[in-house]
Amino acid sequence: MSKFATLNFSMQNQTELLDENQQGEATMVEQLSDRLTGKKVYLESYGCQMNFSDSEIVASIMANAGFETTRNANDADVILLNTCAIRDNAEQRIRNRLKQFNAEKVQNPNKVIGILGCMAERLKSQLLEEEKLVDIVAGPDAYRDLPNLVLELESGQKAVNVLLSRDETYAEISPIRLDSNGVSAFISITRGCDNMCSFCVVPFTRGRERSRGPKSIVAEALDLFEKGYREVTLLGQNVDSYRWNISKKGEIVDSMDETVNFAQLLEKVALVNPDLRIRFSTSHPKDMGNDVLEIMSRYENICDYIHLPVQSGNSDVLHKMNRGYTRDWYLERINAIRKYIPECGISTDIITGFCGESEEQHQDTLSLMEAVKYDYAYMFFYSERPKTLAERKYTDDVSLEDKKRRLAEVIALQKVHSMESNKKAVGKTYRVLAEGYSKRSSEQLCGRNSQNVMCVFDKKDYKKGDYVNVFITDCTSGTLIGETVV
Ligand code: 5AD
Ligand code: SF4
């Protein structure tokens, strides 16, 4: 990351604090801003919530350098695609989009196309040099450098920065909320991942795990609340391993600073205001402790919802996946959730057809689903990713046909469970945070209950951002339908 670019976020309010050298750099930043002012940037995001959250950081960095954001790609001087590399089909979709933008570039050759995020990190300069699909390549830790990369193009230089950092958290950057409903927002609390699940490309694309300071997280939550937001989702690849000022071995790093683990961070954010709802994602079964469950049960405004990816219901497959837990351990964690938070909504991620998965092992996944009865699930068939442990160690030997058939079985079973779960909600009353109009009618509002299920109800005098008590009268497998009660 260039020092030059690290300054741009703070140039308005910190110039007076800089020493002589830095003053020089600040002037350069002002010049940079002059050269970029008025240019328009268009951002498109793919993949996980973290990518959408990152795009808001990118928007902020670009705005501080003088860019305006636009929702119309045709209007943009710079098009940035924030990409996902987790499965091959995600990458293919992005490639097609890049080809489309390149075709349009014939009419407007000065338009800059940049690729950000995991696919940028994975493919490095390949998309630039071999496939000639992009002008800029920036990995997840290089966003501060983006204005600089745009300017480098003008001098005919290649614009690539895929350096991964051990400490970049973009902590003090105030994200520009894109496509926001003004009610819910993401806050990143950790970046990167140290887990090395054998199927997963994320540790290679997002680098080492690091936590963001609690003060800046709490300040961001407070700022959002004051701006009218009523829900924040704390994001990290594995939120349970959040730790501030505590080494991996559990030692205190700086005796003058406070130490904060994830349970303590949750509590701090919950205390910002009782009317600010807190969600978080993603929890990891090997790390999710009872301390987190205890804090969740204690604070009304921490939502009763946990996303706890299981990936497989068979312990041998879990071992090969390097997940760090067994089927029994996972089921014990589910029991703990139900003990502390009886009404907790639980969702999961499942992969079918991982290397060597037998028919019996697949049946174990179905039987685990029967045992847990998830309220919701994200389900995928295994897609081998270059560089991962699984690619190096195991054979991707389940046929595509079997992977897809097993996936269809998992999806069919989940549909039954989601319907059962929603039917149980009929006749109950939930406190719902109104997020906006329902898709079907401007006479109806929609919003989620604490368990993260979408509810639809007549608008009456309510507006988005209101907490509304909704009595559930009917449901589909995806939505609860109800009427407001006082
Ligand atoms: N193939 C299929 N699914 C994957 N996931 C991660 N890597 C792969 C892969 N190689 C899924 C996991 C993870 C979710 C975000 O994506 O279920 O939890
Ligand atoms: Fe990937 Fe596992 Fe890290 Fe999740 S915890 S990002 S699945 S390596």
Side-chain angles (χ1 to χ4, degrees):
M1 183 180 33
S2 80
K3 209 173 169 197
F4 170 62
T6 59
L7 281 168
N8 67 14
F9 67 90
S10 56
M11 116 203 142
Q12 293 97 334
N13 48 14
Q14 287 195 359
T15 311
E16 66 274 19
L17 301 176
L18 305 177
D19 66 23
E20 238 171 64
N21 265 343
Q22 290 171 317
Q23 289 278 8
E25 281 172 343
T27 313
M28 281 166 70
V29 172
E30 271 156 30
Q31 284 166 2
L32 177 143
S33 179
D34 282 350
R35 288 163 67 193
L36 296 173
T37 297
K39 283 192 189 270
K40 289 189 180 154
V41 61
Y42 168 83
L43 269 154
E44 202 167 277
S45 309
Y46 294 82
C48 61
Q49 294 171 325
M50 185 67 97
N51 258 10
F52 285 77
S53 168
D54 275 6
S55 291
E56 300 185 331
I57 289 167
V58 169
S60 175
I61 290 168
M62 298 302 272
N64 276 329
F67 279 88
E68 279 173 40
T69 49
T70 170
R71 285 164 179 267
N72 183 351
N74 293 326
D75 271 1
D77 302 291
V78 178
I79 292 177
L80 298 176
L81 264 62
N82 197 352
T83 63
C84 171
I86 206 146
R87 283 170 291 274
D88 185 57
N89 55 10
E91 285 198 1
Q92 289 318 327
R93 222 158 25 106
I94 292 159
R95 255 176 223 277
N96 289 337
R97 192 70 175 135
L98 284 174
K99 284 180 189 152
Q100 200 183 335
F101 281 130
N102 270 282
E104 289 161 14
K105 215 175 150 172
V106 177
Q107 266 115 47
N108 190 351
N110 289 335
K111 198 167 268 204
V112 171
I113 301 176
I115 184 166
L116 318 178
C118 289
M119 201 173 155
E121 191 65 47
R122 192 180 88 69
L123 295 168
K124 306 218 158 54
S125 52
Q126 186 184 316
L127 288 164
L128 191 124
E129 284 165 358
E130 291 167 30
E131 303 184 42
K132 305 211 182 316
L133 282 173
V134 296
D135 307 297
I136 291 176
V137 180
D141 290 341
Y143 298 150
R144 293 181 199 262
D145 205 17
L146 272 168
N148 198 24
L149 291 174
V150 174
L151 289 176
E152 271 179 25
L153 283 178
E154 288 178 7
S155 56
Q157 287 181 53
K158 283 190 185 125
V160 184
N161 185 342
V162 286
L163 288 178
L164 287 172
S165 154
R166 276 187 170 261
D167 50 23
E168 176 64 275
T169 61
Y170 300 112
E172 72 311 317
I173 290 185
S174 180
I176 290 184
R177 307 292 165 182
L178 301 166
D179 294 324
S180 165
N181 58 12
V183 176
S184 24
F186 297 127
I187 301 183
S188 310
I189 63 163
T190 67
R191 296 184 71 82
C193 185
D194 283 353
N195 282 324
M196 287 289 178
C197 299
S198 62
F199 52 78
C200 188
V201 76
V202 168
F204 303 95
T205 59
R206 287 191 162 267
R208 299 306 298 269
E209 179 187 289
R210 65 221 96 123
S211 296
R212 173 180 168 189
K215 287 198 177 74
S216 78
I217 295 170
V218 170
E220 191 171 333
L222 181 61
D223 181 55
L224 284 163
F225 184 79
E226 284 169 351
K227 288 182 172 141
Y229 287 80
R230 290 295 173 263
E231 182 177 273
V232 293
T233 302
L234 308 181
L235 290 181
Q237 244 68 49
N238 172 1
V239 288
D240 300 292
S241 60
Y242 176 89
R243 50 172 208 281
W244 181 250
N245 196 26
I246 313 168
S247 77
K248 260 199 158 168
K249 289 182 188 148
E251 292 147 357
I252 296 174
V253 179
D254 175 357
S255 59
M256 303 298 281
D257 197 357
E258 61 177 343
T259 62
V260 183
N261 65 20
F262 181 57
Q264 291 160 332
L265 179 73
L266 260 185
E267 181 164 36
K268 280 177 185 288
V269 183
L271 286 169
V272 165
N273 193 295
D275 278 335
L276 182 69
R277 266 186 174 183
I278 326 296
R279 298 187 185 281
F280 54 87
S281 190
T282 298
S283 303
H284 197 301
K286 79 177 163 58
D287 297 320
M288 188 199 62
N290 290 350
D291 56 346
V292 171
L293 301 176
E294 212 262 317
I295 291 290
M296 287 177 75
S297 68
R298 209 157 359 118
Y299 288 89
E300 190 80 15
N301 59 332
I302 305 180
C303 288
D304 291 348
Y305 171 65
I306 297 186
H307 180 60
L308 197 68
V310 66
Q311 315 296 0
S312 164
N314 176 274
S315 294
D316 292 334
V317 175
L318 287 170
H319 182 70
K320 277 175 84 170
M321 287 178 162
N322 201 27
R323 286 291 289 176
Y325 56 87
T326 61
R327 176 189 173 101
D328 286 348
W329 170 280
Y330 184 89
L331 289 172
E332 188 281 323
R333 290 290 75 206
I334 294 289
N335 283 340
I337 296 173
R338 299 240 155 94
K339 191 177 105 199
Y340 281 93
I341 314 149
E343 292 289 304
C344 198
I346 304 177
S347 62
T348 200
D349 291 345
I350 291 172
I351 298 177
T352 65
F354 184 62
C355 310
E357 185 191 67
S358 67
E359 215 46 51
E360 293 73 50
Q361 290 171 328
H362 164 60
Q363 290 300 323
D364 285 344
T365 297
L366 295 173
S367 77
L368 180 128
M369 291 173 73
E370 287 286 10
V372 178
K373 290 203 193 295
Y374 293 106
D375 301 290
Y376 193 81
Y378 300 86
M379 300 153 284
F380 318 97
F381 66 78
Y382 174 59
S383 162
E384 186 177 75
R385 305 310 289 134
K387 271 196 186 178
T388 55
L389 233 64
E391 189 236 9
R392 285 179 280 141
K393 238 172 122 177
Y394 305 122
T395 316
D396 181 14
D397 53 1
V398 177
S399 69
L400 187 60
E401 197 189 342
D402 280 341
K403 283 179 183 174
K404 287 189 172 172
R405 194 243 318 142
R406 290 176 194 174
L407 177 60
E409 289 172 15
V410 165
I411 291 173
L413 183 58
Q414 183 51 46
K415 203 165 176 208
V416 173
H417 291 164
S418 294
M419 191 67 190
E420 272 176 29
S421 158
N422 281 358
K423 276 190 176 154
K424 273 198 225 153
V426 175
K428 292 185 184 165
T429 300
Y430 293 100
R431 190 164 184 250
V432 171
L433 174 60
E435 286 176 21
Y437 293 117
S438 85
K439 274 190 212 138
R440 296 230 177 108
S441 157
S442 59
E443 288 307 303
Q444 289 191 313
L445 290 174
C446 67
R448 289 162 199 279
N449 64 8
S450 177
Q451 290 75 5
N452 206 33
V453 187
M454 188 56 91
C455 305
V456 176
F457 49 94
D458 283 348
K459 182 168 139 330
K460 297 190 181 154
D461 287 334
Y462 296 106
K463 58 183 187 316
K464 76 173 180 181
D466 286 347
Y467 284 103
V468 186
N469 289 323
V470 180
F471 175 76
I472 306 302
T473 53
D474 201 358
C475 70
T476 66
S477 64
T479 313
L480 300 178
I481 299 140
E483 47 202 48
T484 55
V485 287
V486 247

